[in-house]
Amino acid sequence: MDSDAIATLERIGAQGGPAANADLAAIRLAAADVVRMANVAVNNLAGAAGASSGFLTSPLQRHLRDVQMMRGHVVFDWDRAAQIGGRIALGLEPTLADLL
């Protein structure tokens, strides 16, 4: 996560109370961005390694699968996180499905 999201997490933890929806949405967006960037990095490495990155003996193969599984989780879905962040920024209340 970027340093702002980490600082927000530290502040919320120190307060010990409930977090504001805007903070939660920003943290979720930052986490989704980290997974998105990790996906790009691992895919670039695998592309540079060539077909051997798909062999079961290749450590890259495991990293590719791990990042793909993280990317598929609803919490790390970039489009959904951005939509939620936009809705919160516009002053709309989150729904239960937003998982904040």
Side-chain angles (χ1 to χ4, degrees):
M1 278 185 269
D2 65 27
S3 60
D4 289 344
I6 292 170
T8 300
L9 277 171
E10 290 174 343
R11 179 179 47 78
I12 291 169
Q15 291 172 348
N21 288 334
D23 288 337
L24 295 174
I27 291 166
R28 181 165 171 186
L29 189 60
D33 194 37
V34 167
V35 171
R36 186 172 66 154
M37 289 187 294
N39 183 61
V40 169
V42 172
N43 280 327
N44 286 342
L45 285 170
S52 66
S53 65
F55 294 164
L56 291 177
T57 55
S58 171
L60 264 179
Q61 170 273 144
R62 170 69 187 268
H63 298 307
L64 280 165
R65 285 187 295 126
D66 288 348
V67 170
Q68 290 298 318
M69 289 297 101
M70 285 187 291
R71 197 182 70 160
H73 193 284
V74 67
V75 171
F76 300 122
D77 181 312
W78 169 257
D79 293 331
R80 183 76 175 120
Q83 178 189 42
I84 292 166
R87 291 183 75 241
I88 298 298
L90 291 171
L92 301 173
E93 289 296 317
T95 68
L96 291 177
D98 290 339
L99 301 174
L100 287 183

Coordinates of all heavy atoms in Angstrom, one line a residue:
M1 N 0.8 -1.2 0.0 CA 0.0 0.0 0.0 C 0.9 1.2 0.0 O 2.0 1.2 0.4 CB -0.9 0.0 1.2 CG -2.1 -0.8 1.1 SD -3.1 -0.7 2.6 CE -2.5 -2.0 3.5
D2 N 0.3 2.3 -0.4 CA 1.1 3.5 -0.4 C 1.2 4.0 1.0 O 0.5 3.6 1.9 CB 0.6 4.6 -1.4 CG -0.8 5.1 -1.0 OD1 -1.1 5.1 0.2 OD2 -1.5 5.5 -1.9
S3 N 2.2 5.0 1.2 CA 2.4 5.4 2.6 C 1.3 6.1 3.2 O 1.1 6.1 4.4 CB 3.7 6.4 2.5 OG 3.4 7.5 1.7
D4 N 0.4 6.8 2.4 CA -0.8 7.4 3.0 C -1.7 6.4 3.6 O -2.3 6.6 4.6 CB -1.5 8.2 1.9 CG -0.8 9.5 1.5 OD1 0.1 9.9 2.3 OD2 -1.2 10.1 0.5
A5 N -1.9 5.3 2.9 CA -2.8 4.2 3.4 C -2.2 3.6 4.7 O -3.0 3.3 5.6 CB -3.0 3.1 2.3
I6 N -0.9 3.4 4.7 CA -0.3 2.8 5.9 C -0.4 3.8 7.1 O -0.8 3.4 8.2 CB 1.2 2.5 5.6 CG1 1.2 1.3 4.6 CG2 1.9 2.1 6.9 CD1 2.6 1.0 4.1
A7 N -0.2 5.1 6.8 CA -0.4 6.1 7.9 C -1.8 6.1 8.4 O -2.1 6.3 9.6 CB 0.0 7.5 7.3
T8 N -2.8 6.0 7.5 CA -4.2 5.9 7.8 C -4.5 4.7 8.7 O -5.2 4.8 9.7 CB -5.1 5.9 6.6 OG1 -4.8 7.1 5.8 CG2 -6.5 5.9 7.0
L9 N -3.9 3.6 8.3 CA -4.1 2.4 9.1 C -3.5 2.6 10.5 O -4.1 2.2 11.5 CB -3.5 1.2 8.5 CG -4.3 0.5 7.4 CD1 -3.4 -0.5 6.7 CD2 -5.5 -0.2 8.0
E10 N -2.4 3.2 10.6 CA -1.7 3.4 11.9 C -2.5 4.3 12.8 O -2.7 4.1 14.0 CB -0.3 3.9 11.7 CG 0.6 2.8 11.2 CD 2.0 3.4 10.9 OE1 2.2 4.6 10.7 OE2 2.9 2.5 10.7
R11 N -3.1 5.4 12.1 CA -3.9 6.4 12.9 C -5.2 5.7 13.4 O -5.5 5.9 14.6 CB -4.2 7.5 12.0 CG -5.1 8.6 12.6 CD -5.4 9.8 11.7 NE -5.8 9.4 10.4 CZ -7.1 9.0 10.0 NH1 -8.0 8.9 11.0 NH2 -7.4 8.7 8.8
I12 N -5.8 4.9 12.5 CA -7.1 4.3 12.9 C -6.8 3.3 14.1 O -7.5 3.2 15.1 CB -7.7 3.5 11.7 CG1 -8.2 4.6 10.7 CG2 -8.8 2.6 12.2 CD1 -8.6 4.0 9.4
G13 N -5.7 2.5 14.0 CA -5.4 1.6 15.0 C -5.1 2.2 16.3 O -5.5 1.8 17.4
A14 N -4.4 3.4 16.3 CA -4.1 4.1 17.5 C -5.3 4.7 18.2 O -5.4 4.7 19.4 CB -3.1 5.2 17.3
Q15 N -6.3 5.1 17.4 CA -7.6 5.6 17.9 C -8.4 4.5 18.6 O -9.1 4.8 19.6 CB -8.4 6.3 16.8 CG -7.8 7.5 16.3 CD -8.5 8.1 15.0 OE1 -9.4 7.4 14.5 NE2 -8.2 9.3 14.6
G16 N -8.4 3.4 18.0 CA -9.1 2.3 18.6 C -10.6 2.3 18.4 O -11.3 1.5 18.9
G17 N -11.1 3.3 17.7 CA -12.5 3.4 17.4 C -12.9 3.0 16.0 O -12.0 2.5 15.2
P18 N -14.1 3.2 15.6 CA -14.5 2.9 14.2 C -13.8 3.8 13.2 O -13.6 5.0 13.5 CB -16.0 3.0 14.2 CG -16.3 3.9 15.4 CD -15.2 3.7 16.4
A19 N -13.6 3.3 12.1 CA -12.9 4.1 11.0 C -14.0 4.7 10.1 O -15.1 4.2 9.9 CB -12.1 3.2 10.2
A20 N -13.7 5.9 9.6 CA -14.6 6.6 8.7 C -14.6 5.8 7.3 O -13.6 5.2 6.9 CB -14.1 8.0 8.4
N21 N -15.8 5.9 6.7 CA -15.9 5.2 5.4 C -14.9 5.6 4.4 O -14.4 4.9 3.6 CB -17.4 5.4 4.9 CG -18.4 4.6 5.7 OD1 -18.1 3.6 6.3 ND2 -19.6 5.0 5.7
A22 N -14.6 6.9 4.4 CA -13.6 7.5 3.4 C -12.3 6.8 3.6 O -11.6 6.5 2.7 CB -13.6 9.0 3.5
D23 N -11.9 6.6 4.9 CA -10.6 6.0 5.2 C -10.6 4.5 4.7 O -9.7 4.1 4.1 CB -10.3 6.1 6.7 CG -9.9 7.5 7.1 OD1 -9.5 8.3 6.3 OD2 -10.1 7.7 8.3
L24 N -11.7 3.8 5.0 CA -11.8 2.4 4.6 C -11.8 2.3 3.1 O -11.1 1.4 2.6 CB -13.0 1.8 5.2 CG -13.1 1.7 6.8 CD1 -14.5 1.2 7.2 CD2 -12.0 0.9 7.3
A25 N -12.5 3.2 2.4 CA -12.5 3.1 1.0 C -11.1 3.4 0.4 O -10.6 2.7 -0.6 CB -13.5 4.1 0.4
A26 N -10.4 4.3 1.0 CA -9.0 4.7 0.5 C -8.1 3.5 0.8 O -7.2 3.2 -0.1 CB -8.5 5.9 1.2
I27 N -8.2 2.8 1.9 CA -7.3 1.7 2.2 C -7.6 0.6 1.2 O -6.7 -0.1 0.7 CB -7.5 1.3 3.7 CG1 -6.9 2.3 4.6 CG2 -6.9 -0.1 3.9 CD1 -7.4 2.2 6.1
R28 N -8.9 0.3 1.0 CA -9.2 -0.8 0.0 C -8.7 -0.5 -1.4 O -8.2 -1.3 -2.0 CB -10.7 -1.0 0.0 CG -11.1 -2.1 -0.9 CD -12.5 -2.5 -0.7 NE -12.9 -3.4 -1.8 CZ -14.1 -3.9 -1.9 NH1 -15.0 -3.6 -1.1 NH2 -14.4 -4.7 -2.9
L29 N -8.8 0.8 -1.8 CA -8.3 1.2 -3.1 C -6.8 1.0 -3.2 O -6.3 0.5 -4.2 CB -8.7 2.6 -3.4 CG -8.5 3.1 -4.8 CD1 -9.2 2.2 -5.9 CD2 -8.9 4.5 -5.0
A30 N -6.1 1.4 -2.1 CA -4.6 1.2 -2.1 C -4.2 -0.2 -2.1 O -3.3 -0.6 -2.8 CB -4.1 1.9 -0.8
A31 N -5.0 -1.1 -1.4 CA -4.7 -2.5 -1.4 C -4.9 -3.1 -2.8 O -4.1 -3.9 -3.3 CB -5.5 -3.2 -0.4
A32 N -6.0 -2.7 -3.5 CA -6.3 -3.2 -4.8 C -5.2 -2.7 -5.8 O -4.8 -3.5 -6.7 CB -7.7 -2.7 -5.3
D33 N -4.7 -1.5 -5.6 CA -3.6 -1.0 -6.4 C -2.3 -1.8 -6.3 O -1.6 -2.1 -7.2 CB -3.4 0.5 -6.2 CG -2.6 1.1 -7.2 OD1 -2.7 0.8 -8.4 OD2 -1.7 2.0 -6.9
V34 N -2.0 -2.2 -5.0 CA -0.8 -3.0 -4.8 C -0.9 -4.3 -5.5 O 0.0 -4.8 -6.2 CB -0.6 -3.2 -3.3 CG1 0.4 -4.3 -3.0 CG2 -0.2 -1.9 -2.6
V35 N -2.1 -5.0 -5.4 CA -2.3 -6.3 -6.1 C -2.2 -6.1 -7.6 O -1.6 -6.9 -8.4 CB -3.6 -6.9 -5.7 CG1 -3.9 -8.1 -6.6 CG2 -3.5 -7.3 -4.2
R36 N -2.8 -5.0 -8.1 CA -2.7 -4.7 -9.6 C -1.3 -4.5 -10.0 O -0.9 -5.0 -11.0 CB -3.5 -3.4 -9.9 CG -3.7 -3.1 -11.3 CD -4.7 -2.0 -11.6 NE -4.2 -0.7 -11.0 CZ -4.6 0.4 -11.5 NH1 -5.4 0.5 -12.5 NH2 -4.1 1.5 -11.0
M37 N -0.5 -3.8 -9.3 CA 0.9 -3.5 -9.6 C 1.7 -4.8 -9.5 O 2.6 -5.1 -10.3 CB 1.5 -2.5 -8.7 CG 1.0 -1.1 -9.1 SD 1.9 0.2 -8.2 CE 1.4 -0.1 -6.5
A38 N 1.5 -5.7 -8.5 CA 2.1 -6.9 -8.4 C 1.8 -7.8 -9.5 O 2.7 -8.5 -10.1 CB 1.7 -7.6 -7.1
N39 N 0.6 -7.8 -10.0 CA 0.2 -8.6 -11.2 C 1.0 -8.2 -12.4 O 1.5 -9.0 -13.1 CB -1.3 -8.5 -11.4 CG -1.8 -9.3 -12.6 OD1 -1.7 -10.5 -12.5 ND2 -2.3 -8.7 -13.6
V40 N 1.1 -6.9 -12.6 CA 1.9 -6.4 -13.8 C 3.4 -6.8 -13.6 O 4.0 -7.3 -14.6 CB 1.8 -4.9 -13.9 CG1 2.8 -4.3 -14.9 CG2 0.4 -4.5 -14.3
A41 N 3.9 -6.7 -12.4 CA 5.4 -7.0 -12.2 C 5.6 -8.5 -12.5 O 6.6 -8.9 -13.2 CB 5.8 -6.6 -10.8
V42 N 4.8 -9.4 -11.9 CA 5.0 -10.8 -12.1 C 4.8 -11.2 -13.5 O 5.5 -12.1 -14.0 CB 4.1 -11.6 -11.1 CG1 4.2 -13.1 -11.3 CG2 4.6 -11.3 -9.6
N43 N 3.8 -10.7 -14.2 CA 3.6 -11.0 -15.6 C 4.7 -10.5 -16.4 O 5.1 -11.2 -17.4 CB 2.2 -10.4 -16.1 CG 1.0 -11.2 -15.7 OD1 1.1 -12.4 -15.6 ND2 -0.1 -10.5 -15.4
N44 N 5.3 -9.4 -16.1 CA 6.5 -8.9 -16.9 C 7.7 -9.8 -16.7 O 8.4 -10.2 -17.6 CB 6.8 -7.5 -16.5 CG 5.9 -6.5 -17.1 OD1 5.1 -6.8 -18.0 ND2 5.9 -5.3 -16.5
L45 N 7.9 -10.3 -15.4 CA 9.0 -11.2 -15.2 C 8.8 -12.5 -15.9 O 9.7 -13.1 -16.5 CB 9.1 -11.5 -13.7 CG 9.7 -10.4 -12.8 CD1 9.5 -10.7 -11.3 CD2 11.2 -10.2 -13.2
A46 N 7.5 -13.0 -15.9 CA 7.2 -14.3 -16.5 C 7.4 -14.2 -18.0 O 7.9 -15.1 -18.7 CB 5.8 -14.8 -16.2
G47 N 7.0 -13.0 -18.6 CA 7.2 -12.8 -20.0 C 8.7 -12.8 -20.4 O 9.1 -13.3 -21.4
A48 N 9.5 -12.2 -19.5 CA 10.9 -12.1 -19.8 C 11.6 -13.5 -19.7 O 12.5 -13.8 -20.4 CB 11.6 -11.1 -18.9
A49 N 11.0 -14.3 -18.8 CA 11.6 -15.6 -18.5 C 11.2 -16.6 -19.6 O 11.9 -17.6 -19.8 CB 11.1 -16.2 -17.2
G50 N 10.2 -16.3 -20.4 CA 9.8 -17.2 -21.4 C 8.9 -18.3 -21.0 O 8.4 -18.4 -19.8
A51 N 8.8 -19.3 -21.8 CA 7.9 -20.5 -21.5 C 8.3 -21.2 -20.3 O 7.5 -21.9 -19.7 CB 7.8 -21.4 -22.7
S52 N 9.6 -21.2 -19.9 CA 10.0 -22.0 -18.8 C 9.4 -21.5 -17.5 O 9.3 -22.2 -16.5 CB 11.5 -21.9 -18.6 OG 11.9 -20.6 -18.3
S53 N 8.8 -20.3 -17.5 CA 8.1 -19.8 -16.3 C 6.9 -20.5 -15.9 O 6.4 -20.5 -14.8 CB 7.8 -18.3 -16.4 OG 6.9 -18.1 -17.4
G54 N 6.4 -21.3 -16.9 CA 5.2 -22.1 -16.7 C 5.4 -23.5 -16.2 O 4.5 -24.2 -15.8
F55 N 6.7 -23.9 -16.1 CA 7.0 -25.2 -15.6 C 6.7 -25.3 -14.1 O 6.9 -24.4 -13.4 CB 8.5 -25.5 -15.8 CG 8.9 -25.7 -17.3 CD1 10.3 -25.6 -17.6 CD2 8.0 -25.8 -18.3 CE1 10.7 -25.7 -18.9 CE2 8.4 -25.9 -19.6 CZ 9.7 -25.9 -20.0
L56 N 6.3 -26.5 -13.7 CA 6.0 -26.7 -12.3 C 7.2 -26.5 -11.4 O 7.1 -26.2 -10.2 CB 5.4 -28.0 -12.0 CG 4.0 -28.2 -12.6 CD1 3.5 -29.6 -12.3 CD2 3.0 -27.2 -11.9
T57 N 8.4 -26.7 -12.0 CA 9.7 -26.5 -11.2 C 10.1 -25.0 -11.1 O 11.0 -24.7 -10.4 CB 10.8 -27.3 -11.9 OG1 10.9 -26.9 -13.2 CG2 10.5 -28.8 -11.8
S58 N 9.4 -24.2 -11.8 CA 9.8 -22.7 -11.8 C 9.1 -22.0 -10.6 O 7.9 -22.1 -10.5 CB 9.3 -22.1 -13.1 OG 9.5 -20.7 -13.0
P59 N 9.9 -21.3 -9.8 CA 9.3 -20.5 -8.8 C 8.3 -19.4 -9.3 O 7.3 -19.1 -8.6 CB 10.5 -19.8 -8.1 CG 11.6 -20.6 -8.5 CD 11.3 -21.2 -9.8
L60 N 8.6 -18.9 -10.5 CA 7.7 -17.9 -11.1 C 6.3 -18.4 -11.3 O 5.3 -17.7 -11.1 CB 8.3 -17.4 -12.4 CG 9.1 -16.2 -12.4 CD1 9.6 -15.9 -13.8 CD2 8.4 -15.0 -11.8
Q61 N 6.2 -19.7 -11.6 CA 4.9 -20.3 -11.9 C 4.0 -20.2 -10.6 O 2.8 -19.8 -10.7 CB 5.1 -21.8 -12.3 CG 3.9 -22.7 -12.4 CD 3.6 -23.3 -11.0 OE1 2.4 -23.5 -10.7 NE2 4.6 -23.6 -10.2
R62 N 4.6 -20.4 -9.5 CA 3.9 -20.3 -8.2 C 3.4 -18.8 -7.9 O 2.3 -18.5 -7.5 CB 4.7 -20.8 -7.1 CG 4.2 -20.6 -5.7 CD 2.9 -21.4 -5.4 NE 2.3 -21.0 -4.1 CZ 2.6 -21.6 -3.0 NH1 3.5 -22.6 -2.9 NH2 2.0 -21.2 -1.9
H63 N 4.3 -17.9 -8.2 CA 4.0 -16.5 -8.0 C 2.9 -16.0 -8.9 O 2.1 -15.2 -8.6 CB 5.3 -15.6 -8.2 CG 6.4 -15.9 -7.2 ND1 6.2 -16.0 -5.8 CD2 7.7 -16.3 -7.4 CE1 7.3 -16.3 -5.2 NE2 8.2 -16.5 -6.1
L64 N 3.0 -16.5 -10.2 CA 1.9 -16.2 -11.1 C 0.5 -16.6 -10.6 O -0.4 -15.9 -10.6 CB 2.2 -16.8 -12.5 CG 3.2 -16.1 -13.4 CD1 3.6 -17.1 -14.5 CD2 2.6 -14.9 -14.0
R65 N 0.5 -17.9 -10.1 CA -0.8 -18.4 -9.6 C -1.2 -17.6 -8.3 O -2.4 -17.3 -8.2 CB -0.7 -19.9 -9.3 CG -0.7 -20.8 -10.5 CD -0.7 -22.2 -10.1 NE 0.5 -22.6 -9.4 CZ 0.5 -23.2 -8.2 NH1 -0.6 -23.5 -7.5 NH2 1.6 -23.5 -7.6
D66 N -0.3 -17.3 -7.5 CA -0.6 -16.6 -6.2 C -1.2 -15.2 -6.6 O -2.2 -14.8 -6.0 CB 0.6 -16.4 -5.3 CG 1.0 -17.7 -4.7 OD1 0.2 -18.7 -4.7 OD2 2.1 -17.8 -4.1
V67 N -0.6 -14.5 -7.4 CA -1.1 -13.1 -7.8 C -2.4 -13.2 -8.5 O -3.3 -12.4 -8.3 CB 0.0 -12.4 -8.6 CG1 -0.6 -11.1 -9.2 CG2 1.2 -12.1 -7.8
Q68 N -2.6 -14.2 -9.4 CA -3.9 -14.4 -10.0 C -5.0 -14.7 -9.0 O -6.1 -14.1 -9.2 CB -3.8 -15.6 -11.1 CG -2.9 -15.2 -12.3 CD -3.5 -14.1 -13.1 OE1 -4.7 -14.0 -13.3 NE2 -2.6 -13.2 -13.5
M69 N -4.7 -15.4 -8.0 CA -5.7 -15.7 -7.0 C -6.1 -14.5 -6.2 O -7.2 -14.2 -5.9 CB -5.3 -16.8 -6.1 CG -5.3 -18.2 -6.7 SD -6.9 -18.8 -7.2 CE -6.8 -18.5 -9.0
M70 N -5.0 -13.7 -5.8 CA -5.3 -12.4 -5.1 C -6.1 -11.5 -6.0 O -7.0 -10.9 -5.5 CB -4.0 -11.8 -4.7 CG -3.3 -12.5 -3.5 SD -1.9 -11.5 -3.0 CE -0.7 -11.7 -4.3
R71 N -5.7 -11.4 -7.2 CA -6.4 -10.5 -8.1 C -7.9 -10.8 -8.3 O -8.7 -10.0 -8.5 CB -5.7 -10.5 -9.5 CG -6.0 -9.3 -10.4 CD -5.4 -9.4 -11.7 NE -6.0 -10.5 -12.4 CZ -6.0 -10.6 -13.7 NH1 -5.3 -9.8 -14.4 NH2 -6.6 -11.6 -14.3
G72 N -8.2 -12.1 -8.2 CA -9.5 -12.6 -8.4 C -10.4 -12.4 -7.2 O -11.7 -12.5 -7.3
H73 N -9.8 -12.0 -6.0 CA -10.6 -11.8 -4.8 C -11.4 -10.5 -4.9 O -10.8 -9.5 -5.3 CB -9.7 -11.8 -3.6 CG -10.5 -11.9 -2.3 ND1 -11.2 -10.8 -1.8 CD2 -10.7 -12.9 -1.5 CE1 -11.8 -11.2 -0.6 NE2 -11.5 -12.5 -0.4
V74 N -12.6 -10.5 -4.5 CA -13.5 -9.3 -4.7 C -12.9 -8.0 -4.0 O -13.0 -6.9 -4.5 CB -14.9 -9.6 -4.2 CG1 -14.9 -9.8 -2.7 CG2 -15.8 -8.4 -4.6
V75 N -12.2 -8.2 -2.9 CA -11.7 -7.1 -2.1 C -10.5 -6.4 -2.9 O -10.4 -5.2 -2.8 CB -11.1 -7.5 -0.7 CG1 -10.4 -6.4 0.0 CG2 -12.3 -7.9 0.1
F76 N -9.8 -7.1 -3.8 CA -8.7 -6.6 -4.5 C -9.1 -6.2 -6.0 O -8.3 -5.9 -6.8 CB -7.5 -7.5 -4.5 CG -7.0 -7.8 -3.1 CD1 -6.9 -9.1 -2.7 CD2 -6.6 -6.8 -2.3 CE1 -6.5 -9.4 -1.4 CE2 -6.1 -7.0 -1.1 CZ -6.0 -8.3 -0.6
D77 N -10.4 -6.3 -6.3 CA -10.9 -6.0 -7.6 C -10.7 -4.4 -7.8 O -11.4 -3.7 -7.1 CB -12.3 -6.4 -7.8 CG -12.9 -6.1 -9.2 OD1 -12.7 -5.0 -9.7 OD2 -13.5 -7.0 -9.8
W78 N -9.8 -4.0 -8.7 CA -9.6 -2.6 -8.9 C -10.8 -1.8 -9.3 O -11.1 -0.7 -8.7 CB -8.4 -2.4 -9.9 CG -8.3 -1.0 -10.3 CD1 -8.7 -0.4 -11.4 CD2 -7.7 0.1 -9.5 NE1 -8.4 1.0 -11.4 CE2 -7.8 1.3 -10.2 CE3 -7.1 0.1 -8.3 CZ2 -7.4 2.5 -9.8 CZ3 -6.7 1.4 -7.8 CH2 -6.8 2.5 -8.6
D79 N -11.5 -2.3 -10.2 CA -12.7 -1.6 -10.7 C -13.7 -1.4 -9.6 O -14.3 -0.3 -9.4 CB -13.4 -2.3 -11.9 CG -12.5 -2.3 -13.1 OD1 -11.7 -1.3 -13.3 OD2 -12.6 -3.2 -13.9
R80 N -14.0 -2.4 -8.8 CA -15.0 -2.3 -7.8 C -14.5 -1.4 -6.7 O -15.2 -0.6 -6.1 CB -15.2 -3.7 -7.2 CG -16.2 -3.8 -6.1 CD -17.6 -3.6 -6.7 NE -18.6 -3.8 -5.6 CZ -19.5 -2.8 -5.3 NH1 -19.5 -1.7 -6.0 NH2 -20.3 -3.0 -4.3
A81 N -13.2 -1.5 -6.3 CA -12.6 -0.6 -5.3 C -12.7 0.9 -5.7 O -13.0 1.7 -4.9 CB -11.2 -1.0 -5.0
A82 N -12.4 1.1 -7.0 CA -12.5 2.5 -7.5 C -13.9 3.0 -7.5 O -14.2 4.2 -7.2 CB -11.9 2.6 -8.9
Q83 N -14.9 2.1 -7.8 CA -16.3 2.5 -7.8 C -16.7 2.9 -6.4 O -17.4 3.9 -6.2 CB -17.1 1.4 -8.4 CG -18.6 1.6 -8.3 CD -19.4 0.4 -8.7 OE1 -19.1 -0.7 -8.2 NE2 -20.5 0.6 -9.5
I84 N -16.3 2.0 -5.5 CA -16.7 2.3 -4.1 C -16.1 3.6 -3.6 O -16.7 4.4 -2.9 CB -16.3 1.1 -3.2 CG1 -17.1 -0.1 -3.5 CG2 -16.4 1.5 -1.7 CD1 -16.5 -1.4 -2.9
G85 N -14.8 3.8 -3.9 CA -14.1 5.0 -3.5 C -14.8 6.3 -4.1 O -15.0 7.3 -3.4
G86 N -15.2 6.2 -5.3 CA -15.9 7.3 -6.0 C -17.3 7.5 -5.3 O -17.7 8.7 -5.1
R87 N -18.0 6.5 -5.0 CA -19.3 6.7 -4.4 C -19.2 7.3 -3.0 O -19.9 8.2 -2.7 CB -20.0 5.3 -4.2 CG -20.5 4.7 -5.6 CD -21.2 3.4 -5.4 NE -22.6 3.8 -5.0 CZ -23.1 3.3 -3.8 NH1 -22.4 2.5 -3.0 NH2 -24.3 3.7 -3.4
I88 N -18.2 6.9 -2.3 CA -17.9 7.5 -0.9 C -17.5 8.9 -1.1 O -18.0 9.8 -0.3 CB -16.9 6.7 -0.2 CG1 -17.3 5.2 0.1 CG2 -16.5 7.4 1.2 CD1 -18.6 5.1 0.9
A89 N -16.7 9.2 -2.1 CA -16.2 10.6 -2.3 C -17.4 11.5 -2.7 O -17.3 12.7 -2.3 CB -15.1 10.7 -3.4
L90 N -18.4 11.0 -3.3 CA -19.6 11.7 -3.6 C -20.6 11.9 -2.5 O -21.6 12.5 -2.6 CB -20.3 11.1 -4.9 CG -19.5 11.2 -6.2 CD1 -20.2 10.4 -7.3 CD2 -19.4 12.7 -6.6
G91 N -20.2 11.3 -1.3 CA -21.1 11.4 -0.2 C -22.2 10.3 -0.1 O -23.1 10.4 0.8
L92 N -22.1 9.3 -0.9 CA -23.1 8.2 -0.9 C -22.7 7.2 0.2 O -21.5 7.0 0.4 CB -23.2 7.5 -2.2 CG -23.6 8.4 -3.4 CD1 -23.5 7.7 -4.7 CD2 -25.0 9.0 -3.2
E93 N -23.7 6.6 0.8 CA -23.4 5.6 1.8 C -23.0 4.3 1.2 O -23.5 3.9 0.2 CB -24.7 5.4 2.7 CG -25.0 6.6 3.6 CD -23.9 6.8 4.7 OE1 -23.4 5.8 5.3 OE2 -23.5 8.0 4.9
P94 N -22.1 3.6 1.8 CA -21.8 2.2 1.3 C -22.9 1.2 1.5 O -23.7 1.4 2.4 CB -20.5 1.8 2.1 CG -20.7 2.6 3.4 CD -21.4 3.9 3.1
T95 N -22.9 0.2 0.7 CA -23.9 -0.9 0.9 C -23.2 -2.0 1.6 O -21.9 -2.0 1.8 CB -24.4 -1.4 -0.4 OG1 -23.3 -2.0 -1.1 CG2 -25.0 -0.3 -1.3
L96 N -23.9 -3.0 2.1 CA -23.3 -4.1 2.8 C -22.4 -4.9 1.8 O -21.4 -5.4 2.2 CB -24.4 -5.1 3.3 CG -25.2 -4.5 4.5 CD1 -26.3 -5.5 4.8 CD2 -24.3 -4.3 5.7
A97 N -22.7 -4.9 0.5 CA -21.9 -5.6 -0.5 C -20.6 -4.9 -0.7 O -19.7 -5.5 -1.4 CB -22.7 -5.7 -1.8
D98 N -20.4 -3.7 -0.3 CA -19.1 -2.9 -0.5 C -18.0 -3.4 0.4 O -16.8 -3.1 0.1 CB -19.3 -1.4 -0.3 CG -20.2 -0.8 -1.3 OD1 -20.3 -1.4 -2.4 OD2 -20.8 0.3 -1.1
L99 N -18.3 -4.2 1.4 CA -17.3 -4.8 2.3 C -16.3 -3.8 2.8 O -15.1 -4.1 2.8 CB -16.6 -6.0 1.5 CG -17.5 -7.1 1.0 CD1 -16.6 -8.1 0.2 CD2 -18.1 -7.8 2.2
L100 N -16.8 -2.7 3.3 CA -15.9 -1.8 4.0 C -15.7 -2.1 5.4 O -16.4 -2.6 6.1 CB -16.4 -0.3 3.8 CG -16.3 0.3 2.5 CD1 -16.8 1.7 2.5 CD2 -14.9 0.2 1.9

